[in-house]
Amino acid sequence: MNRPASASPAAHDRPASGLFAPGPLVLIGMIVIAALTRLLPHPPNFSPVEAVALFGGAYFASRALAIAVPLVAMLVSDLVLGLTLGGTYFEHFTSPAYLATWLSVYACIAISAVLGFGLRGRVNGARVLGYSIVGSVLFFVVTNFAVWATATPMTAHPACLVGLGPCYVAALPFFQWTVLGTLFYAALLFGGFALLRRRVPALRAQTV
C-alpha cells in the first residue's frame, strides 16, 4: 500500500531555505543598509566595514554568502560613493597607486568574515566586543601596512615614507575611530538582529 500523502510534510509547511528565505534576505538587507551609511557624514574611519563582515560571518548559514555579501555590499557602497563624489574617489580603487590599499580593505573584509565564523552559535555581548576589537586591529595593521608598502610622495602621509613604525604612529588618531565605528555598528547589527530573532522565530531556523 502506498504511504498516504499526508504522511510527509506539505511543501508549504516546510521552512523556506536558500538565498530568498526571510533569514538570508534580512541579513542581506541589514548589511547593505549598514554599508550605505558610509554616504552619511561621519568622522574619518568611523565605518561599518569590520562590523558587517563579522555579522555576516556569524549569522549566514552559507559560509560562501557570509564572505560574499559583505564584500559585495561594500563594493556597492564604494561605487555609489564614487558616483557621488566624482573621479577623485574613484581613483582610490582604479588607480594603480591606490590599488594595493583598496585591495587590502577588501582582504580585511574577507578575513573578518572568516573571523566571524568563531561567533557562529556563540554570540553574546562580550564575544562581539572582543571580536570587534580584534577586527579593528586587523584592519589597522593590514591597511596601514599596504599604505606604507606602496608609499610614494604623491600618495602617502610623509611619515610612511620614513618607515613602517612612523606610518603606524601617524595612523593612530584614525584607529580610535575605527574601533568606535566597529563597536557602534556591531551593536546595531548584532543587537538589532537578536531582537528580530526573538520576534520572528523563522529567522532562527534560517540563520546560524
Side-chain angles (χ1 to χ4, degrees):
M1 178 180 290
N2 293 333
R3 185 183 298 272
S6 59
S8 60
H12 58 77
D13 293 329
R14 298 172 186 153
S17 60
L19 180 61
F20 299 106
L25 285 177
V26 168
L27 293 176
I28 291 170
M30 292 179 70
I31 288 173
V32 170
I33 291 170
L36 291 176
T37 62
R38 298 172 68 207
L39 297 169
L40 302 175
H42 60 273
N45 283 35
F46 188 93
S47 83
V49 173
E50 290 299 301
V52 298
L54 292 171
F55 180 67
Y59 282 120
F60 273 108
S62 165
R63 297 194 176 207
L65 286 178
I67 298 171
V69 171
L71 286 171
V72 172
M74 296 310 296
L75 178 60
V76 168
S77 67
D78 268 333
L79 292 174
V80 174
L81 281 167
L83 293 172
T84 303
L85 301 178
T88 302
Y89 188 86
F90 266 123
E91 288 181 5
H92 285 82
F93 52 103
T94 58
S95 168
Y98 292 105
L99 184 59
T101 303
W102 181 77
L103 290 176
S104 73
V105 171
Y106 281 76
C108 286
I109 296 171
I111 295 169
S112 294
V114 173
L115 183 66
F117 293 168
L119 289 168
R120 297 163 81 85
R122 303 169 65 236
V123 172
N124 61 38
R127 288 195 180 98
V128 171
L129 173 63
Y131 276 69
S132 295
I133 292 173
V134 171
S136 298
V137 172
L138 170 73
F139 187 86
F140 175 80
V141 171
V142 172
T143 57
N144 283 291
F145 181 85
V147 170
W148 169 78
T150 59
T152 69
M154 296 297 294
T155 63
H157 190 282
C160 295
L161 298 174
V162 177
L164 182 58
C167 188
Y168 281 123
V169 171
L172 282 174
F174 301 99
F175 177 59
Q176 64 178 335
W177 291 114
T178 300
V179 174
L180 291 173
T182 301
L183 292 176
F184 174 78
Y185 283 103
L188 286 181
L189 290 167
F190 283 92
F193 192 62
L195 291 175
L196 279 174
R197 295 224 298 186
R198 290 177 187 174
R199 293 179 176 273
V200 186
L203 295 180
R204 299 180 187 179
Q206 297 163 359
T207 56
V208 178

